[in-house]
Amino acid sequence: MKKIVLFASGSGTNAENIILHFNKTNSGTVAAVFSNNPDAKVLERAQKLNVPTVVFSKEQFSDGTILQKLIDLKPDLIVLAGFLLKLPHSLVEAFPDKIINIHPALLPKYGGKGMYGMHVHRAIIENKEVETGISIHFVNEHYDEGNIIFQKTVALNGKESPEEVAEKVHQLEQLHFPEVIAELLK
């Protein structure tokens, strides 16, 4: 069975959704959830679903400790699901075209350093965009610049709050992220 490793820094709703999706299939399994945040809700969600967790420091991320753990796990795919740190070059190099990320906007718009979560949704409203969506892309050495695998749009009426935009985007993430991962594992 194909192995997925998830990286997350926050609440973990996407990670939980991915774990639940693959618990119902034979196409893959989530082997572990890695987090740089010892207080992240994702850790609790993963543990409730019997998925091993690894909490690490920035030093362990950059000194090769996490890279070695990943090499030992031999994942078929590494999935960033709300992970906020930039990956070290050595990790990206060790897993070419095996690391994907989801971004809460239609890249290349609203990508790059500092463009995550509500920052993205506020910028979309400020610029009076008529649509937004999600982008799932391969990870390279630059924030949000890897080749795009999948995008899905949702219309905006110009009256939404940032929280309402976030909810529309989150619904797209929940629906499409596990499906795209499953396709990549084939």
Side-chain angles (χ1 to χ4, degrees), residues 10-161:
S11 71
T13 55
N14 277 326
E16 180 179 51
N17 188 45
I18 293 163
I19 293 165
L20 290 171
H21 176 86
F22 286 97
N23 281 352
K24 294 183 258 175
T25 74
N26 291 325
S27 62
T29 186
V30 176
V33 172
F34 285 60
S35 182
N36 62 306
N37 179 358
D39 299 319
K41 179 106 170 121
V42 69
L43 298 168
E44 182 183 319
R45 291 178 192 270
Q47 289 162 356
K48 281 184 180 175
L49 294 168
N50 298 314
V51 174
T53 59
V54 177
V55 178
F56 60 91
S57 66
K58 280 188 179 180
E59 293 76 28
Q60 290 172 312
F61 200 40
S62 59
D63 72 8
T65 302
I66 295 307
L67 175 58
Q68 189 56 56
K69 284 185 185 293
L70 287 169
I71 289 168
D72 294 344
L73 273 172
K74 298 180 179 83
D76 295 286
L77 194 63
I78 298 169
V79 177
L80 310 184
F83 186 68
L84 300 181
L85 295 182
K86 187 174 181 185
L87 297 186
H89 178 73
S90 58
L91 202 154
V92 174
E93 194 175 68
F95 295 94
D97 296 328
K98 297 276 187 196
I99 307 171
I100 66 169
N101 182 43
I102 191 162
H103 187 74
L106 299 170
L107 293 173
K109 287 183 170 185
Y110 306 106
K113 186 172 180 155
M115 291 305 287
Y116 61 90
M118 295 307 284
H119 300 290
V120 173
H121 306 310
R122 284 187 199 101
I124 286 167
I125 288 171
E126 287 168 12
N127 288 306
K128 299 180 180 6
E129 297 287 353
V130 297
E131 68 179 7
T132 188
I134 59 170
S135 299
I136 300 170
H137 63 92
F138 287 109
V139 173
N140 65 15
E141 60 276 2
H142 304 288
Y143 281 114
D144 302 323
E145 291 184 15
N147 290 334
I148 294 171
I149 302 162
F150 176 87
Q151 289 185 309
K152 188 70 174 179
T153 62
V154 63
L156 299 175
N157 63 24
K159 297 175 184 170
E160 292 95 347
S161 68

